[in-house]
Amino acid sequence: MSLNKPVVAIIFVLIIAAAVVFFNRSDAKTAVIIQNRQVLYKINLEAVESEYELLIGGDRGITNTVTIRPGAIGVSHADCPDKICVKTGFIESGARPIICLPNRLEVKIINESDNNIDVVTG
């Protein structure tokens, strides 16, 4: 069985188009900071050039210092008693979020192409 030239050309074009789509997809990491089920910040970690901090206060007088670095985010200081959010360290992927229960704070990373952020279930 031999393929005629137009069929081979169409298959070749489809393979090239699929390769272009695959290699040009947007996997930019976006950090999302959520407090009390409200999105406070969305930060493109790929665009961060130098480290900076955000101070986030809560209803109970607890504050968190969130440090943003190129490609990573973490809670560097917290007034909460257990400091689990600080002990989590910096995250660079969406594998695990950073949670501060006393301040009702969640820090997570999503892919920019992920348009559906579920702030109710995290």
Side-chain angles (χ1 to χ4, degrees), residues 38-117:
Q38 299 293 320
V39 175
L40 300 179
Y41 299 96
K42 287 176 74 175
I43 303 160
N44 180 351
L45 294 177
E46 303 295 326
V48 175
E49 294 181 6
S50 61
E51 184 176 296
Y52 67 95
E53 295 179 339
L54 297 171
L55 184 64
I56 300 175
D59 298 338
R60 301 175 184 176
I62 296 171
T63 60
N64 296 93
T65 302
V66 178
T67 302
I68 298 94
R69 297 176 178 166
I73 189 167
V75 176
S76 55
H77 177 75
D79 293 336
C80 58
D82 57 15
K83 300 195 185 334
I84 291 174
C85 53
V86 176
K87 293 175 186 173
T88 302
F90 283 79
I91 58 174
E92 298 177 354
S93 71
R96 65 170 193 230
I98 300 171
I99 305 292
C100 179
L101 287 178
N103 207 11
R104 298 179 182 168
L105 184 73
E106 178 181 8
V107 179
K108 64 183 179 178
I109 296 178
I110 61 169
N111 283 337
E112 195 171 309
S113 59
D114 225 358
N115 290 329
N116 38 341
I117 302 170

Side-chain angles (χ1 to χ4, degrees), residues 13-52:
V13 168
L14 289 175
I15 290 171
I16 295 299
V20 167
V21 169
F22 179 77
F23 288 111
N24 286 333
R25 65 185 178 166
S26 175
D27 283 337
K29 295 185 290 186
T30 301
V32 181
I33 302 173
I34 302 165
Q35 187 177 43
N36 293 324
R37 298 183 177 175
Q38 299 293 320
V39 175
L40 300 179
Y41 299 96
K42 287 176 74 175
I43 303 160
N44 180 351
L45 294 177
E46 303 295 326
V48 175
E49 294 181 6
S50 61
E51 184 176 296
Y52 67 95

